Amino acid sequence: MRIGLEATCLVDGMFPQVGRATVRLLERLGHEVVFPLEQSCCGQMHINTGYGRFALPLVRRYADAFADVDAVVVPSGSCAGSVRHQHAALARAAGDEGLARAAKEVAARTYELSELLVDVLGLADVGAYYPHRVTYHPTCHSLRVLRVGEKPLRLLRNVEALDLVELPEAESCCGFGGTFALKNPDVSAAMLADKMRHVLSTRADVCTAGDSSCLMHIGGGLGRLSTGVRTVHLAEILASTKDDAESGATHATGTAQGVAS
């Protein structure tokens, strides 16, 4: 399959190891991964904050950039959710039916990483090896917008040597929420404190999720407390192999102290 990678702004600008892991994983599974250079932000930030007209060119750019691939993988439930549920609606609201049709067509071929692996490629075991104690945080958009459900957990349960421990109150938001953390810092900090308390109660070495934004928020908090718990994107864990471990390669570095320490 020829798969296009939508890197997302955070992965492109702050967490490139997540994009590299996504490519490494899919190529190991035998697929061609392409990275159209004309891609840009999906526009979700503009849409969610009421600046839809500024997002319209980004919707068009997305539809054009990924017009000739079999599928698009997005290592983010948040951005994949925007493409699937906002792009065509925004174009239609602007009266551009041609763009709405194009956006709907490419949205139907756009998948968050665990969706692509489980629903499209029919995999639950991707041959990963990750000898760490791991807990999983289901991010709000992956859980409530895309409804990925158990797919990430199914993939993690099949990772060799990984000790998966359940996160208490896992479905509670971490408090990031895009601009929510900026507009409501006190509430966001309180929600983060609850999330960190639950992560620490698992005694996990690593907290993983499918969105770099939430991991940045959680990792920043854990780093400020010097807990030693790393946040590592799901793609990095699934891309890890036994050969990596034996050779000393450390692809899955995560954010040991977060970005806000």
Side-chain angles (χ1 to χ4, degrees), residues 213-233:
S213 53
C214 301
L215 291 175
M216 177 178 67
H217 190 58
I218 297 170
L222 293 171
R224 281 193 294 275
L225 297 179
S226 300
T227 63
V229 180
R230 291 182 297 143
T231 50
V232 178
H233 194 281

Side-chain angles (χ1 to χ4, degrees), residues 2-4 34 36 38 63-71 105-106 109:
R2 189 167 187 265
I3 301 170
V34 297
E38 58 270 29
D64 290 343
F66 296 105
D68 64 347
V69 295
D70 299 315
E105 194 279 329
V106 73
R109 292 184 282 111

Side-chain angles (χ1 to χ4, degrees), residues 51-130:
Y51 295 93
R53 66 188 178 91
F54 294 107
L56 206 57
L58 303 178
V59 172
R60 187 181 307 281
R61 182 181 288 258
Y62 186 93
D64 290 343
F66 296 105
D68 64 347
V69 295
D70 299 315
V72 185
V73 64
V74 189
S76 162
S78 178
C79 298
S82 179
V83 172
R84 190 173 304 165
H85 295 290
Q86 294 179 324
H87 276 196
L90 183 69
R92 194 169 296 113
D96 192 335
E97 283 299 325
L99 179 58
R101 285 192 295 273
K104 183 178 180 180
E105 194 279 329
V106 73
R109 292 184 282 111
T110 295
Y111 305 95
E112 179 269 346
L113 179 61
S114 71
E115 290 181 317
L116 178 74
L117 294 169
V118 175
D119 291 343
V120 181
L121 304 181
L123 298 171
D125 186 344
V126 296
Y129 175 87
Y130 196 71

Side-chain angles (χ1 to χ4, degrees), residues 5-8 10-11 15-22 24-25 73-78 112-114 117 130 134-137 139 142 152 156 159 162 206-216 230-240 251-256:
L5 169 65
E6 162 68 13
T8 81
L10 275 182
V11 170
F15 305 103
Q17 72 274 15
V18 175
R20 288 195 291 266
T22 303
R24 194 165 61 250
L25 169 63
V73 64
V74 189
S76 162
S78 178
E112 179 269 346
L113 179 61
S114 71
L117 294 169
Y130 196 71
V134 177
T135 195
Y136 170 70
H137 166 63
T139 65
S142 66
L156 289 169
V159 174
L162 187 149
V206 170
C207 176
T208 191
D211 279 86
S212 294
S213 53
C214 301
L215 291 175
M216 177 178 67
R230 291 182 297 143
T231 50
V232 178
H233 194 281
L234 177 67
E236 296 179 86
I237 293 176
L238 298 179
S240 298
H251 296 302
T253 54
T255 52

Side-chain angles (χ1 to χ4, degrees), residues 39-50:
Q39 68 178 270
S40 65
C41 172
C42 69
Q44 180 191 188
M45 190 71 77
H46 308 69
I47 300 169
N48 289 352
T49 49

Side-chain angles (χ1 to χ4, degrees), residues 136-187:
Y136 170 70
H137 166 63
T139 65
C140 291
H141 281 81
S142 66
L143 190 70
R144 299 178 176 87
V145 176
L146 291 181
R147 301 186 184 280
V148 301
E150 291 278 307
K151 297 181 184 73
L153 290 170
R154 286 176 62 189
L155 292 161
L156 289 169
R157 290 185 185 118
N158 284 291
V159 174
E160 184 180 357
L162 187 149
D163 180 13
L164 182 64
V165 288
E166 183 177 355
L167 179 64
E169 298 189 26
E171 296 187 2
S172 297
C173 175
C174 70
F176 180 66
T179 57
F180 175 84
L182 301 175
K183 295 177 178 176
N184 305 277
D186 292 340
V187 177

